[in-house]
Amino acid sequence: MVGFDCCEISGCGELARHALAGLLHEFRHGNIVALSAEQKGMELHAGALSAGWNDRFPGFPSDDFPYTSLRGEYYRKHRDAHLKDIIVQLLADRGGEATIVNPACVFGRHACHLATRLPHVKVIGTDIDPWCFQAYRALRLGNLPGNFTFVQDNIFAPRLEAQPTAVVFFGACGAVSDGALDYAISSGARYVMCRTCCHDNIGGNVTITARPSPVNRFFRFKNQAYDRMRKAPKYAGFFFSPNYAPSAYPRSAAGRQLSSPNEFLAVARDSVDSDICRAIIDLDRCLHLAEHGYRVEYQGELLVAERETAGTHRSLLPR
């Protein structure tokens, strides 16, 4: 079973705060989007975090993680496979009482993969819309793992009564990631293991800085659809929530000392073309988890966090 070293993870929290401050400095000085600036900024400010991840969880698919591009979006599946390997490592030695909850599971494919690889663990996939899961179940002719269950639920107002050992997700859009992280915190989950997604949609944002790249055009088209959906009552709660309005960002107390809601929305609008901007939003999430008693590792939109024992939580704010 992969372990966490308390001293190293606590230090990682401090590294996350310094990385956030450094990347915000790059953003404010316009050192984003250009590949050379992105590579230099990420290595300078987040390189230590990446090295810590690689030391603890070898196998991050860096060759298939080019800086923002359509190819990079496509190869997220390799990061998902890496994340599932980590989840299996962390939970393999736990007894039959362990429960994984996968909010925003969409089709439920990843949750079923985990259920197959961890037959002693109960796996629950949830989503506000059951249609995608129903289609996936039909495609598999109803042949799903016996330890997997789907429950229709809204992550912005969860009613699931299960006590999760781990909350996992694979690409929850914008504020859905934040709703899932807050669900993990409030439910007392020991582990949070996830890949974030669609950073441009935090705070209800559907506007991005227009640039001529293919990935930028794709996200502009996506956001046009999201904007129409959020105006339709039948899609209430699908991607946006008043609980995650612009004023809810930054999520962490440390982030609020370093930045502001207006700046975070500006970061979100540039995140489609900038790994620095995506990392700013994710590092704030790391600090939010750390401030609620988790020890966190981060690299390339992946977060792995373990709740510390009572009494070990310490502030990441400057004294």
Side-chain angles (χ1 to χ4, degrees), residues 11 33-34 57 61 96 107 130 139 162 179 186 218 223 235 267 284 313 319:
V33 180
F57 306 122
F107 292 98
L139 185 66
S186 63
F218 171 79
N223 280 346
Y235 293 118
V267 168
D284 176 54
H313 172 222
R319 298 183 183 277

Side-chain angles (χ1 to χ4, degrees), residues 19-31 45 263 276 280:
L20 176 58
L23 293 177
L24 281 168
H25 175 83
E26 302 295 344
F27 173 75
R28 291 163 185 162
H29 287 78
N31 298 326
H45 302 295
E263 184 172 52
I276 285 177
I280 286 170

Side-chain angles (χ1 to χ4, degrees), residues 179-224:
L181 294 177
D182 284 342
Y183 166 71
I185 292 168
S186 63
S187 66
R190 179 174 178 181
Y191 296 103
V192 186
M193 296 171 274
C194 62
R195 176 177 60 79
T196 59
C197 182
C198 295
H199 300 71
D200 51 306
N201 295 134
I202 66 167
N205 179 63
V206 291
T207 303
I208 64 175
T209 303
R211 294 186 174 91
S213 67
V215 70
N216 189 286
R217 289 194 292 268
F218 171 79
F219 272 82
R220 275 184 278 158
F221 175 79
K222 180 264 294 183
N223 280 346
Q224 289 175 1

Side-chain angles (χ1 to χ4, degrees), residues 1-303:
M1 179 174 175
V2 176
F4 286 82
D5 183 280
C6 183
C7 294
E8 290 184 12
I9 296 297
S10 295
C12 193
E14 299 290 352
L15 285 174
R17 188 183 188 283
H18 289 297
L20 176 58
L23 293 177
L24 281 168
H25 175 83
E26 302 295 344
F27 173 75
R28 291 163 185 162
H29 287 78
N31 298 326
I32 59 170
V33 180
L35 180 59
S36 59
E38 291 278 333
Q39 291 174 327
K40 181 179 178 180
M42 288 295 291
E43 178 59 31
L44 176 63
H45 302 295
L49 290 169
S50 296
W53 177 287
N54 291 335
D55 181 61
R56 192 167 304 281
F57 306 122
F60 181 85
S62 56
D63 291 343
D64 297 316
F65 181 48
Y67 288 81
T68 51
S69 65
L70 284 178
R71 179 173 177 266
E73 301 300 322
Y74 176 76
Y75 279 112
R76 281 176 167 176
K77 63 184 181 181
H78 291 180
R79 279 174 277 165
D80 290 340
H82 177 53
L83 182 60
K84 279 185 275 192
D85 288 342
I86 293 169
I87 294 168
V88 171
Q89 284 181 289
L90 285 170
L91 299 181
D93 293 342
R94 297 190 66 87
E97 296 181 357
T99 299
I100 293 173
V101 174
N102 177 190
C105 72
V106 192
F107 292 98
R109 178 171 56 92
H110 295 302
C112 286
H113 289 172
L114 290 173
T116 299
R117 296 181 64 182
L118 294 167
H120 61 289
V121 173
K122 181 179 181 180
V123 180
I124 303 171
T126 75
D127 203 281
I128 192 171
D129 185 358
W131 185 88
C132 289
F133 167 70
Q134 291 167 354
Y136 179 69
R137 181 178 59 189
L139 185 66
R140 293 190 50 158
L141 303 177
N143 184 25
L144 302 176
N147 56 326
F148 169 79
T149 305
F150 175 83
V151 176
Q152 185 175 1
D153 199 19
N154 179 357
I155 194 57
F156 295 134
R159 298 183 178 181
L160 189 68
E161 296 182 355
Q163 173 60 55
T165 308
V167 172
V168 308
F169 56 91
F170 303 86
C173 290
V176 179
S177 284
D178 297 303
L181 294 177
D182 284 342
Y183 166 71
I185 292 168
S186 63
S187 66
R190 179 174 178 181
Y191 296 103
V192 186
M193 296 171 274
C194 62
R195 176 177 60 79
T196 59
C197 182
C198 295
H199 300 71
D200 51 306
N201 295 134
I202 66 167
N205 179 63
V206 291
T207 303
I208 64 175
T209 303
R211 294 186 174 91
S213 67
V215 70
N216 189 286
R217 289 194 292 268
F218 171 79
F219 272 82
R220 275 184 278 158
F221 175 79
K222 180 264 294 183
N223 280 346
Q224 289 175 1
Y226 278 18
D227 192 32
R228 289 194 295 269
M229 289 179 67
R230 71 173 176 175
K231 295 174 181 176
K234 69 176 182 178
Y235 293 118
F238 269 53
F239 297 106
F240 306 101
S241 167
N243 294 334
Y244 299 96
S247 59
Y249 297 87
R251 301 295 301 144
S252 68
R256 289 191 293 274
Q257 286 200 348
L258 294 168
S259 187
S260 67
N262 286 341
E263 184 172 52
F264 254 59
L265 281 187
V267 168
R269 288 192 289 269
D270 276 324
S271 65
V272 167
D273 297 287
S274 171
D275 286 279
I276 285 177
C277 290
R278 296 183 189 196
I280 286 170
I281 294 167
D282 283 339
L283 288 169
D284 176 54
R285 289 164 167 160
C286 291
L287 292 168
H288 180 59
L289 287 169
E291 290 167 0
H292 285 82
Y294 286 87
R295 298 170 288 174
V296 190
E297 297 279 10
Y298 169 74
Q299 182 173 204
E301 301 178 347
L302 302 184
L303 282 73

